[in-house]
Amino acid sequence: MRAFEVFRAQNRSQALALLGEHAPHAAVLAGGTDLLVEVKHGMRAPRVLVDITPVGELGVIELTAQGLSIGALATHSAIMRSALVREHCPALVEAAHTIGAVQTRNLGTLGGNLVTAVPSLDSGPAPLALDAFASIAAPDGMREVAIADFFLAPRRTVLRTGELLCALVIPSASLGKPTAFLKFGLRKGQALALVNVAASLRIAHGVMCEARIGLGAVAPTLIRALDAERILDAQPPSEALFAEAGRIAADEARPITDFRASAAYRRELIRVLTQRALALALARAGGKR
Ligand SMILES: Cc1cc2nc3c(=O)[nH]c(=O)nc-3n(C[C@H](O)[C@H](O)[C@H](O)COP(=O)(O)OP(=O)(O)OC[C@H]3O[C@@H](n4cnc5c(N)ncnc54)[C@H](O)[C@@H]3O)c2cc1C
């Protein structure tokens, strides 16, 4: 492991200044549950780590004029404990609950999870299903990026050198939207997802609208199953339609075969989990499951 220096940023501007000063050799350090493993195994060799954990404002979970803002430094445990997240976006709590074990959830942050951009990350599908966006601090000001556009490739996001993910925002229009998150791993705990799915929908005048299906571990980046979403629009909910949406979602995905599972098995999981997540979202919308 190559030696590195650690600078502790006391506020956001100091973090940006340190990242700028040491670019392109600096990396942001949050919980370190992913970054330090990579450094230890020589997959990355930053010369400088900018520790942002002292920057309290980055851990705040609050309702704002835009919606529910969850600071990038909010840990998975903090999300599970947050009354605001539980009330407005319970699917995020369900997702946080499936991440690693207690120790990982106590240290690992939402921001760190999203920035890893691994296809299986568990914090991604629910924000996709809720039209969330990322609030990003750049040296020349703030910018916002829809979470659907945030992931570019495995381990690559839209973040540019020197930028900081500040918060994930669930827009006001999505707060309280019936949503369900399901994950399938090889064990119940401490397992990466073979497939994870979040589905959300609303019922108005007996038909479905605003259906969203976010999928993880099924393609090089997290994706929305747009064709599957479309067939639900303006239709009365039914098991047959959810089964069809599951089949379409499985067709839209591009799962791989690896040592954990074959692509065929993953496709079957996508089909079943999508169908179940839609049924669960419907039940939460007050419809029949
Ligand atoms: C034993 C174990 C089990 C795990 N299980 C799961 C699991 O079940 N599901 C899952 O999804 N993940 C899992 N992980 C992965 C990891 O714990 C999570 O991704 C975690 O949320 C990462 O957050 P962190 O704060 O530790 O990030 P760090 O390791 O500190 O950082 C990760 C990456 O994000 C960058 N970064 C962090 N914060 C910011 C920011 N605010 N702005 C810009 N860049 C930033 C870092 O530079 C680095 O590139 C597991 C890890 C371990 C070690």
Side-chain angles (χ1 to χ4, degrees):
M1 188 170 75
R2 190 166 134 178
F4 52 80
E5 277 187 283
V6 180
F7 292 92
R8 282 169 75 79
Q10 299 303 323
N11 54 50
R12 204 162 70 181
S13 353
Q14 204 181 10
L16 287 172
L18 283 164
L19 289 171
E21 188 183 334
H22 298 283
H25 305 292
V28 174
L29 174 67
T33 61
D34 194 82
L35 178 63
L36 294 182
V37 177
E38 286 194 318
V39 171
K40 183 176 172 189
H41 292 289
M43 293 151 72
R44 285 177 73 177
R47 291 183 199 157
V48 166
L49 299 187
V50 178
D51 180 3
I52 58 169
T53 53
V55 187
E57 63 176 295
L58 292 179
V60 172
I61 301 176
E62 62 181 348
L63 281 173
T64 69
Q66 290 184 302
L68 180 66
S69 171
I70 307 175
L73 272 185
T75 62
H76 305 299
S77 298
I79 288 171
M80 286 163 64
R81 281 194 306 267
S82 162
L84 281 177
V85 184
R86 257 188 274 148
E87 179 184 349
H88 297 287
C89 306
L92 291 177
V93 176
E94 291 172 342
H97 200 82
T98 71
I99 293 177
V102 177
Q103 294 87 340
T104 318
R105 295 195 287 269
N106 282 346
L107 272 178
T109 62
L110 173 66
N113 194 235
L114 294 171
V115 176
T116 61
V118 295
S120 62
L121 67 90
D122 290 313
S123 303
L128 271 179
L130 291 165
D131 300 319
F133 62 88
S135 172
I136 297 168
D140 56 351
M142 298 295 295
R143 66 187 182 111
E144 289 168 359
V145 176
I147 210 71
D149 300 324
F150 185 75
F151 306 104
L152 298 179
R155 294 204 168 265
R156 201 154 70 83
T157 70
V158 294
L159 284 183
R160 302 182 194 121
T161 305
E163 288 188 333
L164 198 59
L165 174 63
C166 291
L168 177 80
V169 181
I170 313 295
S172 306
S174 297
L175 298 185
K177 185 178 180 190
T179 309
F181 172 84
L182 296 173
K183 166 177 174 177
F184 190 92
L186 290 178
R187 295 182 300 269
K188 279 209 158 179
Q190 284 279 41
L192 295 184
L194 289 187
V195 171
N196 52 25
V197 179
S200 69
L201 54 81
R202 290 190 196 280
I203 302 290
H205 309 295
V207 297
M208 290 180 284
C209 56
E210 297 172 34
R212 302 279 187 273
I213 300 166
L215 295 170
V218 307
T221 64
L222 281 86
I223 59 166
R224 274 199 28 214
L226 296 171
D227 292 340
E229 290 174 4
R230 261 190 290 272
I231 66 149
L232 303 172
D233 194 38
Q235 300 298 319
S238 71
E239 275 299 326
L241 202 54
F242 289 165
E244 181 60 10
R247 273 191 290 277
I248 294 173
D251 273 354
E252 285 183 77
R254 286 182 287 143
I256 56 164
T257 294
D258 65 9
F259 64 96
R260 288 197 186 89
S262 67
Y265 185 61
R266 284 194 162 96
R267 266 190 214 285
E268 185 59 9
L269 284 174
I270 299 163
R271 186 184 70 72
V272 172
L273 292 185
T274 301
Q275 182 177 351
R276 287 185 189 167
L278 285 167
L280 195 49
L282 173 67
R284 289 172 180 177
K288 242 198 281 168
R289 197 178 160 186

